[in-house]
């Protein structure tokens, strides 16, 4: 039976207030899901820890590399104390005359004993062990393996029991391990971002399935896919903001707790891994990236599902 024109116009006038932007308001303004804020909070906290760890490792490696760049140590392993002292002065004079060496310092025997105290103790235990003589030297800028090998030959001629160790060379395995840990932290950040996006995708799909009938009515009343997507975007925005702030607080607290534990070690090398103000600024941006990923994922999920649904 055909609807009378007057009735059709009356129905259209009755539905007019709900068309377009108003039609989208028919969708319930509930959250995408109860677990979503907590999932985002956990992902944000873990990401904050990973970012803080990666930045701390980068600072630690840069600090260690900067302190030991161009540094070397000459060890004179001579049991006779008089001969050891004579060879030490001879090697030190030779190094001071070399153009590839900028600074030379003979390490006092008391300082060497203090360095070995955790292993040898004090008193007669130290006196019974012949301590090697140490000479710290700073190479000139641009000095490399060739200059070190040349120095090694001259030192061997002056003191047969002496040997030279470039501190940057023995530290290389440590720096490689730090770089490996940093790359693992970056991989963890990418994995957490993917996991968070997957959680938002599942929540958005579930919300769409639960409101399928309402969405169809909204479309019949003139609502567009863009308007429906904005409703879900606002919903996930509040969830992501709440989870991001909570995750930032948890992650920052964990970083500070770990930092206090490492500070208690009182190690000069560990001290180089502290976070700078710029690092903390980067850490503070993590929740914003989490919110951006969540909102973008929700929008793309809703728009893609609506095209398949209708």
């Amino acid at each position: 039976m055909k609807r009378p024109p007057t009735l059709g116009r009356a129905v259209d006038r009755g539905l007019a207030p709900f068309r377009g932007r108003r039609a989208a308001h028919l969708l319930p303004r509930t959250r995408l899901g109860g677990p979503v804020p907590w999932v985002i909070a956990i992902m944000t906290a873990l990401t904050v820890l990973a970012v803080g760890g990666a930045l701390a490792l980068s600072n630690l490696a840069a600090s260690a590399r900067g302190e030991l760049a161009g540094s070397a140590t000459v060890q004179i392993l001579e049991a006779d104390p008089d001969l050891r002292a004579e060879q030490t002065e001879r090697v030190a004079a030779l190094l001071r005359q070399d153009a590839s060496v900028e600074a030379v310092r003979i390490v006092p025997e008391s300082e060497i004993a203090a360095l070995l105290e955790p292993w040898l103790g004090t008193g007669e235990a130290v006196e019974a062990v012949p301590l090697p003589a140490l000479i710290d030297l700073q190479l000139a800028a641009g000095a490399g393996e060739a200059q070190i090998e040349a120095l090694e030959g001259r030192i061997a001629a002056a003191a047969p029991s002496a040997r030279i160790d470039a501190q940057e060379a023995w530290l290389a395995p440590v720096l490689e391990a730090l770089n490996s840990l940093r790359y693992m932290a970056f991989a963890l950040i990418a994995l957490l971002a993917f996991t968070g996006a997957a959680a938002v995708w599942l929540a958005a799909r579930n919300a769409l399935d639960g409101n399928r009938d309402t969405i169809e009515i909204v479309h019949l009343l003139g609502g567009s896919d863009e308007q429906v997507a904005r409703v879900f975007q606002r919903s996930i925005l509040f969830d992501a903001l709440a989870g991001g702030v909570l995750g930032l607080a948890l992650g920052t607290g964990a970083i500070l707790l770990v930092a206090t534990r490492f500070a208690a070690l009182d190690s000069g090398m560990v001290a180089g891994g502290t976070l700078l103000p710029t690092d903390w600024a980067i850490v503070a941006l993590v929740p914003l990236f989490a919110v951006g990923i969540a909102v973008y994922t929700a929008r793309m999920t809703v728009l893609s599902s609506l095209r398949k649904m209708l």
Side-chain angles (χ1 to χ4, degrees), residues 84 109 113 120-131:
R84 182 171 65 245
E109 187 171 330
L120 300 180
T122 58
E124 297 180 357
V126 178
E127 296 175 358
V129 178
L131 299 179

Side-chain angles (χ1 to χ4, degrees), residues 41-225:
I42 293 172
M43 296 301 171
T44 302
L46 293 177
T47 304
V48 166
L49 275 174
V51 170
L55 293 173
L57 291 173
S58 298
N59 294 340
L60 180 60
S63 175
R65 191 179 290 108
E67 291 180 359
L68 299 181
S71 300
T73 301
V74 176
Q75 300 182 42
I76 301 177
L77 307 174
E78 175 59 51
D80 187 345
D82 297 331
L83 184 58
R84 182 171 65 245
E86 179 185 347
Q87 291 182 357
T88 301
E89 293 295 337
R90 190 186 312 153
V91 170
L94 183 150
L95 292 173
R96 291 189 180 99
Q97 297 174 1
D98 197 292
S100 62
V101 179
E102 285 189 348
V104 176
R105 185 180 79 94
I106 299 176
V107 181
E109 187 171 330
S110 59
E111 188 174 331
I112 300 174
L115 292 174
L116 297 177
E117 182 177 344
W119 293 272
L120 300 180
T122 58
E124 297 180 357
V126 178
E127 296 175 358
V129 178
L131 299 179
L134 299 180
I135 302 175
D136 286 340
L137 57 100
Q138 183 68 33
L139 299 176
E145 295 183 3
Q147 286 74 18
I148 293 177
E149 291 178 0
L151 282 175
E152 192 171 7
R154 299 190 191 99
I155 292 172
S161 62
R163 68 181 186 185
I164 182 171
D165 294 324
Q167 297 180 7
E168 192 173 4
W170 64 259
L171 191 65
V174 179
L175 295 178
E176 291 178 0
L178 292 177
N179 286 331
S180 299
L181 291 175
R182 184 176 58 179
Y183 296 145
M184 289 179 61
F186 289 143
L188 178 60
I189 293 170
L191 181 61
L192 290 172
F194 174 79
T195 306
V200 173
W201 178 80
L202 288 174
R205 291 295 301 269
N206 290 335
L208 282 172
D209 292 340
N211 295 278
R212 179 183 293 269
D213 295 338
T214 307
I215 292 173
E216 291 178 354
I217 294 174
V218 168
H219 277 95
L220 291 175
L221 295 177
S224 65
D225 291 351

Side-chain angles (χ1 to χ4, degrees), residues 261-288:
R261 293 293 183 268
F262 276 100
L265 297 177
D266 196 19
S267 173
M269 184 175 180
V270 174
T274 55
L275 294 180
L276 304 175
T278 53
D279 299 328
W280 283 111
I282 294 174
V283 170
L285 292 176
V286 171
L288 297 181

